[in-house]
Amino acid sequence: MAATSSPPAPKKTREETSPKKPVPPVEPPHGDTSETSYYAKVASRYRTAKYLTVFLLVLLLLGGLVMGSGNITYANFVYLLRDLDVVFDAVGGTDADSLHYSTAEDRQYVAYRDGLALVSHDGVQIYNSGGKRTLEDDPDYSDPRAVASDRYLLTYDRNGGGYTLYNSLSAVYRDTLDYPIHGAAISDSGYYAVISETREYTSAVLLYNKNCKLVNRYLKDKYVIDAAISDDGDRIAMVSVSSAQGDYLAEFQLCEPGKDSAIATLSIPGVFPMSVRFFSDNSFAVLCDTAIYFYNDNGELQKTFSFTDSAPERFALAGKYAALVYPANVMGTESRICIFDSAGSTVTETVVEGGAQAMTVTENAVWLMTESRLFRVEPEGKVTYISHDGGAKALLAVEEDILICSPSSARRCRASDLSDRGVES
């Protein structure tokens, strides 16, 4: 077998055998030294600005902690965290067509944050607009009552001393007064008032701000029947009554929260006040047994509407409109609805079939429930309706919709659900 041999290795050239010289690194092209110095100065200034900004932020935070230490409390952080549901509601979601709950005796139905609050001896329950129960609490009140705004639900023990402030997830404040509570009012601004009494005075109206701090104490030697606070918290109105020479003497008082003197105090003999409510422009109306009085935001009388034939069966006010409903005939088989604007002028008047069982006002309409129908009356006079089975406990306005509340459920009704009857005048 022939032997194989490897081919001879190629000879290295002189260039390959000689050692390589080290190659210096490639330097970037040199620019103008004055330009390089300029960018260095700019970078230095940005670094200085960054550190100065951080320093100022630390000073601002420390200053806020020192100056606002009274407001930076654990309770306020709880309010912030537990009111996040307001943000979630604002983002959007589907409103439930019905809400379901257990039955209870002597229950009060209250519209709260586009949902529903139920208040009874069994406790407090809050349902959001999607039908989910977000709160259940039992303050153990002997005679529970409630008022609500867009911010809080206020429950109190009528003729007892306790009250509780809720958001939709939790009780945010509880207190017990030294004297019985006879009524309450609350505003979208967070201001609320509790009607009570003292040892020296027949009535005392205690006004609190959104942080539950006492702002004013209004003391009266007469019985305060009702109070109301404007949505922006700039006005509080109180109506009270006393006896003078064997007859009623009504007093209407308008005040600005935080001020010691009243804006206006009005006395009207021979009438008994029953309710006071604010319009959205801070004018207000006072319902009495013989008439309804309309005042502007300075307490000046704008118009009086007297009840010549009979007193109204229902009164409701919200936003820009107020409404009264009367029986339209002796048999009570028809109802007459009168809608007023904030100046007291009659906007529209119409007659519908059936006796009035409940009424409420939304931003753009008046809703009236009779034995078999639910009517919607617009200020321009347009009337629409839908049939229903009756037996409802309450009719509540939630934005432009309403809730028809029965003992075990609440049904949402929208304007689009009603049939057109055309224009009536």
Side-chain angles (χ1 to χ4, degrees), residues 12-36:
K12 295 184 177 179
T13 65
R14 183 177 179 182
E15 184 179 355
E16 291 174 331
T17 57
S18 61
K20 292 183 178 180
K21 295 181 180 181
V23 179
V26 178
E27 295 182 4
H30 295 286
D32 187 357
T33 56
S34 62
E35 184 178 341
T36 303

Side-chain angles (χ1 to χ4, degrees), residues 138-161:
D138 187 3
D140 193 25
Y141 293 156
S142 59
D143 191 4
R145 291 292 182 269
V147 290
S149 69
D150 283 345
R151 186 180 292 244
Y152 293 127
L153 172 73
L154 172 62
T155 65
Y156 62 93
D157 192 3
R158 189 170 65 176
N159 297 323

Side-chain angles (χ1 to χ4, degrees), residues 13-328:
T13 65
R14 183 177 179 182
E15 184 179 355
E16 291 174 331
T17 57
S18 61
K20 292 183 178 180
K21 295 181 180 181
V23 179
V26 178
E27 295 182 4
H30 295 286
D32 187 357
T33 56
S34 62
E35 184 178 341
T36 303
S37 175
Y38 166 76
Y39 284 114
K41 289 180 180 180
V42 171
S44 176
R45 290 173 183 171
Y46 273 110
R47 282 195 299 270
T48 303
K50 179 182 70 173
Y51 294 132
L52 182 60
T53 303
V54 173
F55 178 71
L56 291 176
L57 176 61
V58 172
L59 283 182
L60 180 63
L61 292 175
L62 291 175
L65 289 172
V66 173
M67 301 297 294
S69 59
N71 292 326
I72 302 175
T73 63
Y74 171 78
N76 286 342
F77 278 115
V78 170
Y79 298 163
L80 175 64
L81 294 174
R82 291 183 173 175
D83 267 343
L84 286 178
D85 63 311
V86 182
V87 179
F88 297 149
D89 287 344
V91 171
T94 303
D95 294 335
D97 291 331
S98 60
L99 311 175
H100 298 276
Y101 39 80
S102 60
T103 58
E105 296 295 330
D106 299 325
R107 170 180 279 163
Q108 184 180 358
Y109 303 83
V110 183
Y112 177 55
R113 284 189 180 175
D114 204 20
L116 176 66
L118 306 174
V119 180
S120 68
H121 291 92
D122 295 337
V124 179
Q125 297 177 340
I126 295 178
Y127 293 82
N128 64 17
S129 60
K132 179 183 178 182
R133 187 173 64 193
T134 61
L135 177 139
E136 187 170 13
D137 184 49
D138 187 3
D140 193 25
Y141 293 156
S142 59
D143 191 4
R145 291 292 182 269
V147 290
S149 69
D150 283 345
R151 186 180 292 244
Y152 293 127
L153 172 73
L154 172 62
T155 65
Y156 62 93
D157 192 3
R158 189 170 65 176
N159 297 323
Y163 74 88
T164 305
L165 207 62
Y166 296 94
N167 62 23
S168 57
L169 295 177
S170 175
V172 297
Y173 185 76
R174 300 183 192 270
D175 197 10
T176 301
L177 304 183
D178 295 331
Y179 296 92
I181 298 174
H182 305 301
I186 195 166
S187 162
D188 289 347
S189 65
Y191 276 72
Y192 65 94
V194 179
I195 303 172
S196 185
E197 59 188 64
T198 68
R199 185 184 299 274
E200 296 83 9
Y201 290 89
T202 305
S203 297
V205 179
L206 310 178
L207 178 65
Y208 299 85
N209 63 17
K210 63 182 180 181
N211 295 320
C212 307
K213 303 297 183 182
L214 184 64
V215 176
N216 288 100
R217 189 193 307 267
Y218 305 101
L219 303 174
K220 296 185 177 295
D221 57 357
K222 48 185 65 68
Y223 291 97
V224 174
I225 304 299
D226 195 17
I229 308 169
S230 62
D231 287 341
D232 58 10
D234 286 345
R235 295 287 188 272
I236 177 173
M238 296 158 282
V239 295
S240 54
V241 67
S242 59
S243 178
Q245 300 178 350
D247 203 355
Y248 292 126
L249 177 62
E251 180 187 273
F252 310 157
Q253 190 170 67
L254 180 68
C255 299
E256 182 179 351
K259 300 293 182 66
D260 293 331
S261 58
I263 297 174
T265 301
L266 312 160
S267 296
I268 302 180
V271 301
F272 189 93
M274 294 184 289
S275 181
V276 58
R277 293 292 182 270
F278 277 98
F279 292 95
S280 56
D281 61 0
N282 286 1
S283 59
F284 65 100
V286 181
L287 177 69
C288 296
D289 57 343
T290 59
I292 183 170
Y293 301 85
F294 295 88
Y295 296 88
N296 65 16
D297 59 347
N298 290 319
E300 300 166 343
L301 181 65
Q302 299 187 97
K303 193 158 290 187
T304 301
F305 185 84
S306 299
F307 310 141
T308 54
D309 298 328
S310 61
E313 294 181 319
R314 297 285 188 278
F315 166 64
L317 187 155
K320 300 180 293 183
Y321 301 105
L324 298 173
V325 61
Y326 307 82

Side-chain angles (χ1 to χ4, degrees), residues 309-310 313 325-337 349-356:
D309 298 328
S310 61
E313 294 181 319
V325 61
Y326 307 82
N329 56 27
V330 187
M331 302 298 293
T333 57
E334 292 181 330
S335 297
R336 179 163 55 94
I337 303 171
E349 185 173 342
T350 188
V351 175
V352 298
E353 181 183 342

